[in-house]
């Protein structure tokens, strides 16, 4: 499976990850190599195998519907890069 | 003092041979002396350590001490520590002061341990050599031209150099066992769900598991005792009684059935390592164990499966780093997309980016079935292989890694060569089984690690098997020449 630099640009956009243009060729080579390597999986017939998402095969644990977390906005926003009046600041989304 | 095991230090504290403050000061002095050359630590928490040591001494004086009260340890910098920087080895979290403690940190704190600092690691635990850390490489105390392994490389090197008697690590594909092997120490990756993942920064959530690293199996038992157990705050934590891990350490091994998977002794294995492992097997036969050849037929696919499953989970988990709520934020973003893209692009290193990109790709429309679903199906086959093996044997034994510690830069230009250094450890994570690495000798003056894989929740048995070996050998007591 060989990727093109255009594919890598598209994946990087989906991942919201800026890639330095001078590195795109290297990423394209590395990612193609990794995909070639994982192709080995195709040699195995798995038509009747149940996928395993998780090692414990346990159902999700339920808990009573009660409030266990309390407002700690100030504490949690103390490590935010930019806040004002309790709000996280980001560049304007709508013009 | 620094050559004593945790068990010996705990006894010394109890018998008032030395105080926790004296012990802590001693280790802090060693860190000051040796860490500049090794770079095992991202943060040394000297002031906090001395406070905790004084509190421990007060507890010991009041007769309220537990088995680990006053013992210094190191936390891998993947565990959140309230009020202390928790960087995960990344520029992304260089400025992140955790607002809460991970459950593992809280439990070890409650037990009265003293935290000396936060250990260096591969960025977001993605690496097998500690070369992806934003904070620089860690050197292997046995040979400073060699890597310490990864991702828990700082923890392993600090233990080997006697800068701490024990540490925490995490293991997603071998990140406790492989550095333990490379640095000649003992490490345990518990069954998935035994140790809480709450506050342990997520990489691949269905594989990540925290565990103890120390110099002996007995010390790992002591640490695991405090770390293990159900936690309401981790939705995958397993509710079951934690056994007394120390109680069974001396059980006899007569009749123990050891399985040797042919796939672990293949052409990828260095011949000197093979000979070293065979010598260890002979010790087990002397202890009364029976050895049997087994097969884990799908094991050769564990690395390809892992490099679909782990990046897929990583790409979802690392989506949270967006430059908005915490962590790195780029300068002067021109719009919100630029904010996300540049904060992530500038905050993450190359290996983390590779894995996010692979993960995004294998989960994207049109490729999910071919990659992610197929990987999950083969994951089942790998897990079934183990299940069948454990119908014939009690424990599986083999090398931890195909080579001893390699040199800096040897594998950094070829991601797949690096991934293959975890070829014997990754299957265990896919199945969720417990496994250990213990030192069994040297090859070219670098330590060789042997892996023991147990059935689900058989940590006590693994520790027993490792401990008995350590009673009749002294590899785990060897000290690197420059760190006596």
């Amino acid at each position: 499976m060989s990727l093109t630099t255009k594919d890598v640009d598209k994946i990087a956009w989906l991942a919201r990850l800026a890639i330095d243009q001078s590195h795109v060729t290297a990423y394209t080579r590395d990612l193609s190599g990794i995909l070639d390597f994982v192709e080995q999986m195709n040699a195995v017939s798995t038509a009747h195998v149940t996928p395993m998402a998780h090692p414990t095969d346990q159902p999700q644990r339920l808990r009573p519907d009660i409030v266990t977390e309390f407002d700690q906005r100030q504490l949690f926003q103390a490590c935010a890069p930019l806040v004002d009046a309790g709000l996280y600041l980001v560049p304007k989304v709508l013009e | 003092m620094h050559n004593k095991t945790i068990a010996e230090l705990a006894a010394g504290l109890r018998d008032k041979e030395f105080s926790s403050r004296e012990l802590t000061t001693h280790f802090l002095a060693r860190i000051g002396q040796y860490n500049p050359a090794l770079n095992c630590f991202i943060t040394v928490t000297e002031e906090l350590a001395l406070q905790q040591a004084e509190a421990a001494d007060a507890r010991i004086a009041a007769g309220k001490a537990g088995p680990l009260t006053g013992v210094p340890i190191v936390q891998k910098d993947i565990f959140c520590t309230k009020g202390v920087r928790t960087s995960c080895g990344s520029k992304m979290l260089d400025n992140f002061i955790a607002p809460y403690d991970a459950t593992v940190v809280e439990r070890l704190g409650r037990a009265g341990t003293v935290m000396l600092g936060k250990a260096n690691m591969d960025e977001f635990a993605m690496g097998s050599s500690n070369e992806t850390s934003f904070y620089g490489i860690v050197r292997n105390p046995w040979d400073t031209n060699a890597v310490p392994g990864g991702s828990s490389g700082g923890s392993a090197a600090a233990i080997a150099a006697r800068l701490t008697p024990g540490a925490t690590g995490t293991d997603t594909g071998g990140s406790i066992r492989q550095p333990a092997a490379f640095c000649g120490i003992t490490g345990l990756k518990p069954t998935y769900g035994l140790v809480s993942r709450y506050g342990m920064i997520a990489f691949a959530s269905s594989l990540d598991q925290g565990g103890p690293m120390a110099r002996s199996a007995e010390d790992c038992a002591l640490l695991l005792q405090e770390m293990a157990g159900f936690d309401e705050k981790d939705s995958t934590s397993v509710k079951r009684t934690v056994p007394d891990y120390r109680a069974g350490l001396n059980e006899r091994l007569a009749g123990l059935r050891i399985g040797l998977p042919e796939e672990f002794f293949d052409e990828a294995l260095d011949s000197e390592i093979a000979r070293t492992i065979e010598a260890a097997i002979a010790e087990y036969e002397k202890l009364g164990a029976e050895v049997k050849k087994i097969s884990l037929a799908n094991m050769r696919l564990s690395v390809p499966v892992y490099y679909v499953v782990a990046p897929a989970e990583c790409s979802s988990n690392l989506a949270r780093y967006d430059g908005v709520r915490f962590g790195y934020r780029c300068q002067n973003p021109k719009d919100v997309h630029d904010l996300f893209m540049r904060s992530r692009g500038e905050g993450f290193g190359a290996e983390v980016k590779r894995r996010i990109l692979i993960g995004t790709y294998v989960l994207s429309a049109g490729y999910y079935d071919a990659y992610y679903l197929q990987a999950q199906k083969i994951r089942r086959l790998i897990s079934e292989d183990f299940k069948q093996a454990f119908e014939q044997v009690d424990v599986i034994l083999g090398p931890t890694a195909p080579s001893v510690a390699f040199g800096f830069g040897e594998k950094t230009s070829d991601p797949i060569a690096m991934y293959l250094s975890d070829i014997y450890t990754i299957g265990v994570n896919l199945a969720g089984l417990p496994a250990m690495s213990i030192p069994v000798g040297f090859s070219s003056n670098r330590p060789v690690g042997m892996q023991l894989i147990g059935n689900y929740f058989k940590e006590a048995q693994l520790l027993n098997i490792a401990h008995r070996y350590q009673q009749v050998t002294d590899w785990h007591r060897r000290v690197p020449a420059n760190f006596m």
Side-chain angles (χ1 to χ4, degrees):
Chain A
M1 178 71 210
S2 238
L3 295 176
T4 62
T5 53
K6 221 178 125 192
D7 294 328
V8 171
D9 282 335
K10 187 187 160 202
I11 302 163
W13 164 249
L14 287 174
R16 298 296 184 274
L17 192 60
I19 302 287
D20 192 316
Q21 276 309 307
S22 64
H23 295 155
V24 173
T25 314
Y27 277 107
T28 306
R29 186 197 61 221
D30 288 350
L31 300 188
S32 296
I34 296 167
L35 291 172
D36 280 341
F37 174 70
V38 305
E39 293 275 282
Q40 293 174 57
M41 297 193 309
N42 296 342
V44 184
S45 160
T46 54
H48 303 291
V49 180
T50 315
M52 178 174 165
H54 211 270
T56 48
D57 276 332
Q58 285 196 124
Q60 194 72 17
R61 198 172 65 238
L62 299 176
R63 62 173 180 84
D65 186 15
I66 51 168
V67 177
T68 56
E69 293 292 325
F70 299 92
D71 178 25
Q72 300 185 67
R73 185 167 70 178
Q74 250 185 328
L75 174 68
F76 294 148
Q77 288 194 332
C79 53
L82 204 57
V83 288
D84 187 30
L87 303 171
Y88 293 99
L89 296 190
V90 294
K92 215 192 265 182
V93 178
L94 296 172
E95 288 303 324
Chain B
M1 268 193 294
H2 53 268
N3 278 317
K4 289 188 192 297
T5 64
I6 292 177
E8 290 160 354
L9 291 175
L13 286 163
R14 215 168 33 237
D15 300 341
K16 308 216 168 55
E17 278 172 40
F18 41 78
S19 67
S20 177
R21 197 189 157 89
E22 285 166 335
L23 195 56
T24 302
T25 307
H26 179 72
F27 279 109
L28 287 170
R30 281 185 68 83
I31 292 167
Q33 186 180 353
Y34 294 110
N35 190 55
L38 296 174
N39 198 30
C40 304
F41 287 84
I42 290 174
T43 307
V44 179
T45 50
E46 186 164 350
E47 212 175 303
L48 178 70
L50 291 170
Q51 279 170 20
Q52 289 178 336
E54 273 166 24
D57 283 332
R59 222 171 121 179
I60 294 166
K64 289 181 182 156
L68 291 184
T69 304
V71 174
I73 58 156
V74 168
Q75 293 286 356
K76 183 176 181 180
D77 207 19
I78 198 168
F79 288 101
C80 284
T81 42
K82 190 173 184 172
V84 175
R85 174 173 64 177
T86 302
S87 75
C88 219
S90 182
K91 179 181 177 186
M92 182 58 87
L93 293 176
D94 184 49
N95 61 3
F96 178 61
I97 310 289
Y100 62 93
D101 274 334
T103 296
V104 161
V105 172
E106 190 199 310
R107 287 186 180 179
L108 285 167
R110 214 164 47 202
T113 63
V114 171
M115 183 174 86
L116 297 169
K118 307 286 302 280
N120 204 340
M121 55 180 283
D122 277 301
E123 185 179 9
F124 283 99
M126 298 176 201
S128 308
S129 64
N130 219 113
E131 290 170 289
T132 72
S133 171
F134 175 62
Y135 300 91
I137 58 167
V138 174
R139 293 186 182 275
N140 190 320
W142 291 96
D143 181 343
T144 49
N145 294 315
V147 302
S151 66
S152 311
S155 299
I159 294 165
R162 276 56 182 168
L163 307 187
T164 178
T168 55
T170 61
D171 193 315
T172 304
S175 284
I176 287 176
R177 290 161 287 158
Q178 186 254 24
F182 281 13
C183 290
I185 63 151
T186 304
L188 170 76
K189 179 249 173 234
T191 307
Y192 183 86
L194 182 70
V195 171
S196 170
R197 292 185 299 110
Y198 179 76
M200 187 179 110
I201 295 172
F203 156 20
S205 301
S206 79
L207 304 163
D208 296 343
Q209 183 62 204
M213 302 173 81
R215 288 205 300 273
S216 69
E218 183 182 27
D219 286 359
C220 284
L222 282 162
L223 289 171
L224 184 64
Q225 200 70 52
E226 304 300 336
M227 294 168 75
F230 177 70
D231 180 17
E232 194 72 54
K233 293 175 186 156
D234 171 2
S235 66
T236 57
S237 178
V238 175
K239 222 173 197 164
R240 57 186 284 143
T241 314
V242 175
D244 182 344
Y245 292 115
R246 241 178 138 191
L249 283 178
N250 287 307
E251 295 284 320
R252 294 168 57 83
L253 302 186
L256 178 81
R257 297 169 303 165
I258 297 178
L260 307 177
E262 54 179 302
E263 294 78 6
F264 280 29
F265 295 89
D266 58 359
E267 69 285 354
L269 181 63
D270 174 274
S271 59
E272 222 178 306
I273 294 186
R275 275 198 297 280
T276 312
I277 302 289
E278 278 156 21
I281 295 167
E283 286 294 338
Y284 277 112
E285 287 178 316
K286 278 195 249 166
L287 289 167
E290 292 161 22
V291 174
K292 192 177 167 172
K293 287 214 162 87
I294 58 164
S295 172
L296 300 166
N298 293 290
M299 189 51 89
R300 67 188 170 81
L301 290 169
S302 62
V303 183
V305 167
Y306 180 87
Y307 279 96
V308 172
V309 172
E313 295 186 16
C314 136
S315 72
S316 319
N317 272 326
L318 271 60
R320 74 190 68 183
Y321 303 103
D322 55 8
V324 176
R325 289 158 300 163
F326 59 103
Y328 179 80
R329 181 185 181 106
C330 68
Q331 294 289 312
N332 307 316
K334 67 177 196 301
D335 57 30
V336 77
H337 288 300
D338 188 43
L339 169 67
F340 295 156
M341 294 200 59
R342 276 203 297 121
S343 295
R344 291 163 63 73
E346 292 165 18
F348 292 133
E351 180 59 19
V352 172
K353 284 185 203 164
R354 267 196 287 272
R355 297 204 194 183
I356 291 175
L357 292 171
I358 283 287
T360 304
Y361 182 73
V362 300
L363 291 176
S364 64
Y367 299 101
Y368 180 91
D369 285 7
Y371 291 105
Y372 191 59
L373 200 65
Q374 177 72 353
Q376 285 194 322
K377 287 178 169 181
I378 301 176
R379 183 176 184 180
R380 170 83 58 197
L381 298 177
I382 291 168
S383 170
E384 293 290 330
D385 285 350
F386 277 114
K387 204 175 274 178
Q388 279 170 19
F390 283 120
E391 284 168 13
Q392 305 163 52
V393 297
D394 303 307
V395 66
I396 295 170
L397 183 154
T400 305
S403 74
V404 290
F406 43 87
F408 293 101
E410 252 179 57
K411 296 180 196 265
T412 40
S413 59
D414 180 359
I416 292 163
M418 186 70 86
Y419 298 170
L420 287 170
S421 65
D422 293 329
I423 190 163
Y424 303 133
T425 49
I426 273 175
V428 162
N429 300 80
L430 292 169
L433 292 164
M436 288 187 77
S437 179
I438 60 172
V440 293
F442 292 84
S443 168
S444 317
N445 299 316
R446 294 178 187 182
V448 173
M450 180 177 74
Q451 185 175 209
L452 296 164
I453 305 169
N455 210 340
Y456 295 101
F457 298 104
K458 293 283 189 189
E459 285 78 7
Q461 187 184 33
L462 282 180
L463 289 161
N464 164 223
I465 296 167
H467 179 71
R468 291 296 298 214
Y469 176 82
Q470 293 183 336
Q471 295 303 103
V472 294
T473 57
D474 70 348
W475 301 113
H476 66 295
R477 291 198 172 266
R478 302 288 175 97
V479 189
N482 297 329
F483 301 92
M484 293 285 187

